[in-house]
Amino acid sequence: MNKHGLLADFLQARRGLLRPEDVGLPTYGERRRVPGLRREELAMLAGISAPYYARLEQGQSRNASPEVLDAIATALRLDESERAHLHALARTPRGGRTAGRPRAERINPATSVLLSALDGTPAIVMGRRSDVLAWNRQGHALFAGHLDPDSPDDPGRRPNMARLVFLDAHTRDLYADWPAKAGAVVGNLRLTAGRYPDDPRLAALIGELTMRSPEFATMWADHRIQACDTADYEMRHPLVGTLTVTQQTLQSPQGDSPALVVATAAPGSPSATALALLAHTTTATATAVGAPSATAPQEAAGPRRGAERPATD
């Protein structure tokens, strides 16, 4: 992926989503050859010259000021997340150097202990490409109980939540409003692609999903951004039935560390009862087969087996 190519694609796609009547421009009944606003119309709304905007949209200009980007964002009616994404795409690495490859992902001991402390609450730790780096027993049972619980320990077998949402029948059936979940996955991948345009494994994942899922290809072409730090989802779980959970994603503001995703339900609600039943069922199953009390760290003072092993890029 090329960052300036992503910028050009983003601007073109978002311009195509705006109609003249959306922004108060008269059309006088004329037939328009292109969907959405013309380049010169967007430039006029942003208060910049049409030739300059054309160069920016064609990926030929790499020095747009924050003020110009904010003006374009306002003209395109971008929300806060989309505005931040636009700035990230337009940002040139210091010294004109290409951004380095992202660091390999790993779980540190503190995160492993935190995951263990959340025993009873479904939780997973996800990397920047939505790979599952770790989960506790309830997180595994809620999100992917049909998979090997030890798979996150091996970088070569780690489940990928984006791949599961689009390509795995069990995960697709898990969400009553699958399009909402799928849109959130695509929106988050868009944000990640803006931060890590030179990540070959991220590019490969996006390419795979585009080829194998027409729905992903359509959503990806929209260039919509969706930062889902908190979202409610109705889930149809094969063990405990229908429940509504709030999925919260906790991550550093820079987005450069693994994210902790926690699922909770309103206290006293039927969904909370369903989560408690799921926790009891997984604990009973683990006890019956002689498994340790949690699938997070097996020693409170250290990470899970394989947790300190970096993923390959």
Side-chain angles (χ1 to χ4, degrees):
M1 294 179 291
N2 176 274
K3 175 171 280 195
H4 297 288
L6 291 174
L7 172 62
D9 290 343
F10 179 70
L11 291 174
Q12 292 170 19
R14 298 316 300 264
R15 177 170 59 85
L17 295 176
L18 280 179
R19 299 172 299 178
E21 53 267 33
D22 294 334
V23 294
L25 292 178
T27 60
Y28 306 107
E30 63 181 321
R31 296 191 59 177
R32 302 172 71 88
R33 293 180 298 173
V34 295
L37 297 180
R38 299 185 176 111
R39 285 176 179 166
E40 57 268 24
E41 291 171 334
L42 196 285
M44 179 189 68
L45 291 171
I48 60 179
S49 72
Y52 175 76
Y53 177 78
R55 292 196 301 272
L56 190 65
E57 195 175 278
Q58 292 168 353
Q60 298 173 1
S61 180
R62 305 186 177 188
N63 59 351
S65 68
E67 293 76 15
V68 166
L69 295 174
D70 281 333
I72 293 173
T74 299
L76 289 173
R77 299 191 170 185
L78 303 184
D79 63 23
E80 183 178 348
S81 296
E82 294 165 338
R83 186 181 295 261
H85 181 65
L86 174 62
H87 280 266
L89 290 179
R91 191 176 301 123
T92 302
R94 292 183 179 180
R97 298 188 300 271
T98 301
R101 294 173 65 183
R103 292 175 298 176
E105 296 176 292
R106 65 183 69 197
I107 301 299
N108 61 40
T111 301
S112 291
V113 172
L114 175 60
L115 195 60
S116 180
L118 289 171
D119 188 42
T121 299
I124 63 176
V125 180
M126 291 201 309
R128 58 182 172 270
R129 309 179 193 99
S130 73
D131 293 323
V132 178
L133 307 181
W135 48 29
N136 62 10
R137 186 166 49 240
Q138 291 74 33
H140 166 253
L142 179 64
F143 293 108
H146 62 303
L147 300 182
D148 180 357
D150 294 328
S151 55
D153 293 340
D154 181 359
R157 296 193 302 126
R158 281 175 177 163
N160 179 277
M161 291 307 296
R163 191 178 285 114
L164 288 175
V165 165
F166 280 95
L167 304 179
D168 180 74
H170 173 95
T171 306
R172 188 183 186 109
D173 290 341
L174 193 60
Y175 290 92
D177 188 355
W178 180 85
K181 179 61 178 178
V185 168
V186 173
N188 276 314
L189 278 180
R190 274 272 171 220
L191 290 173
T192 305
R195 296 188 186 109
Y196 302 105
D198 302 313
D199 185 336
R201 290 187 62 198
L202 177 61
L205 172 65
I206 293 169
E208 176 193 352
L209 293 175
T210 300
M211 293 296 295
R212 297 181 62 187
S213 170
E215 292 151 315
F216 179 88
T218 299
M219 293 180 181
W220 188 256
D222 275 348
H223 286 259
R224 296 186 187 274
I225 304 301
Q226 188 173 352
C228 290
D229 297 331
T230 303
D232 293 333
Y233 294 107
E234 181 180 326
M235 305 181 77
R236 298 173 295 201
H237 197 275
L239 290 180
V240 297
T242 300
L243 69 162
T244 298
V245 301
T246 299
Q247 293 184 18
Q248 299 183 68
T249 302
L250 309 176
Q251 191 174 30
S252 68
Q254 295 77 21
D256 57 356
S257 62
L260 177 67
V261 180
V262 180
T264 58
S269 67
S271 295
T273 301
L275 283 182
L277 176 60
L278 182 65
H280 173 76
T281 301
T282 55
T283 299
T285 301
T287 301
V289 299
S293 61
T295 61
Q298 297 186 13
E299 297 180 10
R304 302 172 59 195
R305 179 176 58 83
E308 283 298 314
R309 190 189 325 166
T312 58
D313 277 341

